[in-house]
């Protein structure tokens, strides 16, 4: 492999939305296997390029995989003495920099490829998010799907709710009120999401609350549903205005959750505006 294989690997993994850690030798003293500036990329499955092999590389790989497992977003510096403890006889010392790359801040399922969906998905695709765009109607999707977005055509749209990891974001804006209700019930039943937004008016929310109560959903779970969704101060009715409002709320949510440790992927929905204004906006 060439010494620039890590560049291609990084680009390829980022295109796929697959997290990885970039490991760089930033300092060397004495005799070391590779020069400062040498890099390798560690994904969950593979190593790309090399920082010299041997036990140092093995230790670096262990640290990188642990960072991937913990979804760490913080860079780390680690100093290694290349003595007997690392099974290397060079006798030098090396400092390695570990940089997490491409860790999505949010896994987002967008249900519905109508006007607002088509305006919203490109915005979400430009954020550090992994997006699954779901509709039963192939014809509704545009010819060009943004990079990093997975298009899902499935007649059984509700089945896709179970495919998302814990802590996901769900955005529902389908062409059908009954389908919106079934999706809402499936998402609230999981109750391990970070964010759930449903497109619609206050009267739609009231109807859904009533129907969900009839199905036995507890009020505190139903309260987690954002409907109307988006930033209340953005009043526009154009698809792009609605989309920007929703994207803004998604950004505010993952910023509020940034760096939080999760328990089984569960995170509380942060309060995006003070309670006094939230009650007016609700």
């Amino acid at each position: 492999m060439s010494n620039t294989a890590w560049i291609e690997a990084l680009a390829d993994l980022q295109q796929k939305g697959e997290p990885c850690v970039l490991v760089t030798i930033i300092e060397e003293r004495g005799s070391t296997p590779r020069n400062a500036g040498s890099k390798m990329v560690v994904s969950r499955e593979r190593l790309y390029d090399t920082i010299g092999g041997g036990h140092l590389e093995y230790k670096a790989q262990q640290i990188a995989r642990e960072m991937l497992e913990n979804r760490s977003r913080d860079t780390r510096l680690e100093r290694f003495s290349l003595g007997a403890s690392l099974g290397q006889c060079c006798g030098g010392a090396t400092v390695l920099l570990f940089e997490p790359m491409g860790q999505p801040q949010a896994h987002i399922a967008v249900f519905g490829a109508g006007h607002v969906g088509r305006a919203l998905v490109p915005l979400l695709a430009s954020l550090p998010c992994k997006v699954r765009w779901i509709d039963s109607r192939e014809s509704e999707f545009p010819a060009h799907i943004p990079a990093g977005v997975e298009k899902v055509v499935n007649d059984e749209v509700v089945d896709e709710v179970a495919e998302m990891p814990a802590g996901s974001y769900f955005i529902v804006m389908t062409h059908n009120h009954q389908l919106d209700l079934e999706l809402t019930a499936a998402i609230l039943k999981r109750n391990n999401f970070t964010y759930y937004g449903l497109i619609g008016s206050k009267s739609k929310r009231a109807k859904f609350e009533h129907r969900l109560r009839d199905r036995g959903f507890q009020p505190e779970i139903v309260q987690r549903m954002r409907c109307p969704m988006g930033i209340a101060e953005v009043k526009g009715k154009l698809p792009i205005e609605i989309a920007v409002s929703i994207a803004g709320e998604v950004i505010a949510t993952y910023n509020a959750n940034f760096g939080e440790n999760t328990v089984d992927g569960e995170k509380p929905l942060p309060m995006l505006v003070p309670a006094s204004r939230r009650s007016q906006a609700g």
Side-chain angles (χ1 to χ4, degrees):
M1 247 186 171
S2 73
N3 290 359
T4 56
W6 65 270
I7 299 174
E8 290 162 31
L10 206 53
D12 188 43
L13 291 165
Q14 291 194 318
Q15 173 73 22
K16 291 176 184 162
E18 193 179 323
C20 59
V21 176
L22 179 63
V23 183
T24 308
I25 298 179
I26 62 164
E27 189 183 351
E28 42 169 357
R29 295 207 181 121
S31 175
T32 59
R34 288 290 294 274
N35 297 335
S38 296
K39 295 176 187 283
M40 74 173 179
V41 172
V42 184
S43 75
R44 286 199 172 94
E45 306 293 326
R46 286 189 57 186
L47 287 183
Y48 303 84
D49 230 322
T50 180
I51 54 167
H55 206 58
L56 172 68
E57 188 163 289
Y58 177 71
K59 289 291 286 182
Q61 181 186 332
Q62 277 189 314
I63 291 168
R65 293 250 159 86
E66 180 189 303
M67 290 171 74
L68 288 170
E69 191 64 32
N70 296 334
R71 298 190 178 192
S72 170
R73 296 196 191 102
D74 297 326
T75 56
R76 270 172 74 168
L77 279 175
E78 296 283 344
R79 185 180 187 281
F80 299 90
S81 298
L82 301 182
S85 65
L86 274 182
Q88 311 232 198
C89 53
C90 336
T94 297
V95 178
L96 299 183
L97 172 66
F98 295 80
E99 296 176 274
M101 300 281 179
Q103 189 72 262
Q105 299 206 55
H107 288 263
I108 304 179
V110 177
F111 292 89
H115 294 305
V116 178
R118 290 198 294 271
L120 174 63
V121 166
L123 295 177
L124 298 178
S126 65
L127 299 171
C129 300
K130 195 167 184 181
V131 182
R132 297 184 84 230
W133 194 8
I134 302 152
D135 203 302
S136 59
R137 305 160 300 162
E138 169 80 55
S139 59
E140 285 299 299
F141 288 98
H144 173 69
I145 302 294
V149 173
E150 182 187 357
K151 179 177 94 170
V152 179
V153 180
N154 186 347
D155 286 336
E156 303 301 327
V157 172
V158 179
D159 290 354
E160 292 296 325
V161 172
E163 296 301 310
M164 297 298 291
S168 289
Y169 293 54
F170 293 91
I171 295 170
V172 169
M173 43 176 67
T174 80
H175 58 295
N176 181 309
H177 267 239
Q178 188 57 37
L179 180 54
D180 282 356
L181 182 63
E182 296 309 322
L183 283 165
T184 301
I187 292 161
L188 293 184
K189 190 174 178 186
R190 281 187 57 154
N191 198 30
N192 63 352
F193 52 87
T194 295
Y195 172 90
Y196 170 44
L198 170 67
I199 201 161
S201 60
K202 290 178 186 175
S203 63
K204 179 176 178 179
R205 182 190 183 100
K207 280 180 197 157
F208 273 42
E209 283 184 347
H210 183 70
R211 288 177 187 170
L212 290 163
R213 260 200 314 274
D214 287 349
R215 292 191 187 197
F217 282 92
Q218 295 304 308
E220 61 272 18
I221 293 173
V222 177
Q223 279 308 111
R224 297 192 64 201
M225 173 176 76
R226 296 282 301 174
C227 180
M229 69 171 146
I231 297 167
E233 287 78 1
V234 179
K235 304 287 188 198
K237 296 293 180 217
L238 294 173
I240 189 61
E241 291 171 327
I242 298 166
V244 165
S245 163
I246 296 165
E249 189 162 86
V250 167
I251 293 166
T253 305
Y254 75 60
N255 284 349
N257 283 294
F258 187 82
E260 260 187 22
N261 289 324
T262 63
V263 180
D264 296 330
E266 294 197 26
K267 298 177 183 177
L269 178 65
M271 299 311 183
L272 303 178
V273 290
S276 56
R277 283 169 60 204
R278 197 167 57 254
S279 57
Q280 292 164 12

